[in-house]
Amino acid sequence: MPLLDVKNIETYYGPIMAIKGVSLVVEEGQIVTILGANGAGKTTVLKTISGVMEPEKGSVKFMDRQIDHVEPDKIVKMGISHVPEGREVFHDLTVRENLMMGSYLRNDKDGILRDVEICYDYFPILKTRSKQLGGSMSGGEQQMLAIARALMARPKLLLLDEPSLGIAPFLVKEIYEIIKKINKEQNTTILLVEQNAPMALAVSHIGYVLELGRIVLNDTCAELMENEDVKEFYLGISDQSIRGTKRWKRKKKWR
Ligand SMILES: Nc1ncnc2c1ncn2[C@@H]1O[C@H](COP(=O)(O)OP(=O)(O)O)[C@@H](O)[C@H]1O
Ligand SMILES: [Mg+2]
């Protein structure tokens, strides 16, 4: 039984169908990535899993329990934490207070304090800045704070919406290294969505490619990195030798 089992979901904004029958599975312990261009539907898929949006059709199962019409805070309590696009830390709370907010559904005080220290170990900058206001941190530091805050709920599954968006490249690399470490050491399963394909493919086990609300590819990341379409459209490696061939025409259509 997979940890997360999404079957054929359709999600709408009013009359607009943003997700057109998406299915995906996430096995416990994995890092799974959904690649897609701007507007592909990545954020909407994550919102449908975390209960912020409800699908019109299809189902979302987490640890074999159906959660597609469950309230978002109940879903957090069941073990899914969502770091939304654009991070959204509390600007007027200190770094430490932001972390404490992440544990609002818990009442094991000792465990909470221990987890603050674990977060500080992963993100030493948060310890240095613990008394600083969230809003005064840089974009990359806020992303670290948002991830750490989500960890404070002790999730089994962490959803990350474009952790690299608008962040300096050296910090993106650092954040991804920490994501990998958290997955390994805390055994936290991770589902992340990205436009930054090279980084996401490098740390993830399994990848899906989302285009206009549909999954068009699904494979191990090792295989995806060798896939000609992925190379060309997501990794920016173009194969000039096939220009004008049947395959080239098919690819143009695929785009
Ligand atoms: N609040 C909204 N109202 C109407 N349409 C929306 C809204 N948010 C997103 N969409 C549309 O849904 C589609 C998927 O958007 P989104 O999930 O945000 O894509 P991504 O995260 O991959 O950039 C896009 O066509 C987008 O324009
Ligand atoms: Mg998005």
Side-chain angles (χ1 to χ4, degrees):
M1 173 191 61
L3 185 66
L4 181 75
D5 193 358
V6 175
K7 273 212 178 85
N8 216 15
I9 51 167
E10 295 180 2
T11 308
Y12 288 74
Y13 292 97
I16 301 162
M17 191 190 207
I19 302 304
K20 301 168 183 168
V22 162
S23 299
L24 60 97
V25 294
V26 179
E27 300 287 348
E28 191 169 356
Q30 281 180 336
I31 304 181
V32 175
T33 186
I34 304 175
L35 298 179
N38 201 11
K42 303 180 299 298
T43 294
T44 310
V45 168
L46 291 193
K47 284 182 174 170
T48 309
I49 295 168
S50 66
V52 178
M53 293 182 78
E54 290 184 357
E56 291 286 317
K57 280 194 187 156
S59 67
V60 181
K61 276 190 180 171
F62 178 63
M63 298 199 300
D64 221 20
R65 290 165 71 186
Q66 194 152 351
I67 59 165
D68 45 74
H69 288 78
V70 174
E71 294 293 314
D73 60 341
K74 291 215 177 83
I75 292 179
V76 175
K77 213 160 185 179
M78 289 168 77
I80 300 181
S81 287
H82 183 180
V83 180
E85 191 175 70
R87 19 211 195 259
E88 297 179 13
V89 304
F90 298 105
H91 283 212
D92 299 332
L93 297 183
T94 65
V95 166
R96 191 184 161 83
E97 285 165 348
N98 263 280
L99 290 180
M100 296 310 280
M101 289 299 282
S103 65
Y104 78 108
L105 290 169
R106 296 170 59 178
N107 45 29
D108 56 323
K109 208 172 161 214
D110 292 347
I112 291 170
L113 293 178
R114 192 189 57 228
D115 285 346
V116 169
E117 293 307 318
I118 290 176
C119 285
Y120 286 160
D121 282 345
Y122 283 115
F123 303 100
I125 188 80
L126 299 182
K127 186 168 190 173
T128 318
R129 307 283 176 83
S130 65
K131 294 196 176 78
Q132 194 172 315
L133 291 183
S136 71
M137 308 277 280
S138 77
E141 291 162 355
Q142 287 189 20
Q143 183 62 265
M144 292 181 179
L145 178 55
I147 295 171
R149 190 181 63 194
L151 288 177
M152 288 300 297
R154 278 247 147 234
K156 291 186 187 68
L157 175 65
L158 184 62
L159 307 177
L160 301 175
D161 196 337
E162 296 207 47
S164 74
L165 196 69
I167 292 173
F170 77 95
L171 271 184
V172 170
K173 192 153 177 278
E174 193 178 328
I175 288 173
Y176 267 98
E177 270 161 15
I178 298 167
I179 289 171
K180 218 169 143 180
K181 228 167 130 192
I182 291 167
N183 166 256
K184 230 174 169 174
E185 295 174 359
Q186 306 293 315
N187 199 28
T188 310
T189 306
I190 295 170
L191 173 61
L192 62 94
V193 308
E194 265 294 357
Q195 288 189 61
N196 185 343
M199 206 37 115
L201 287 176
V203 305
S204 305
H205 305 106
I206 301 291
Y208 289 83
V209 177
L210 185 68
E211 300 230 324
L212 300 175
R214 288 194 176 87
I215 301 288
V216 295
L217 269 177
N218 162 33
D219 214 328
T220 63
C221 289
E223 286 294 327
L224 287 178
M225 278 191 265
E226 295 304 316
N227 179 291
E228 291 300 331
D229 292 328
V230 171
K231 272 190 190 167
E232 176 159 0
F233 298 124
Y234 292 93
L235 300 173
I237 308 165
S238 97
D239 182 357
Q240 294 296 327
S241 63
I242 62 155
R243 201 175 274 274
T245 63
K246 230 184 204 171
R247 178 172 164 73
W248 174 254
K249 287 183 187 121
R250 183 176 67 74
K251 274 165 65 166
K252 272 173 77 174
K253 209 166 125 202
W254 191 69
R255 173 151 43 176

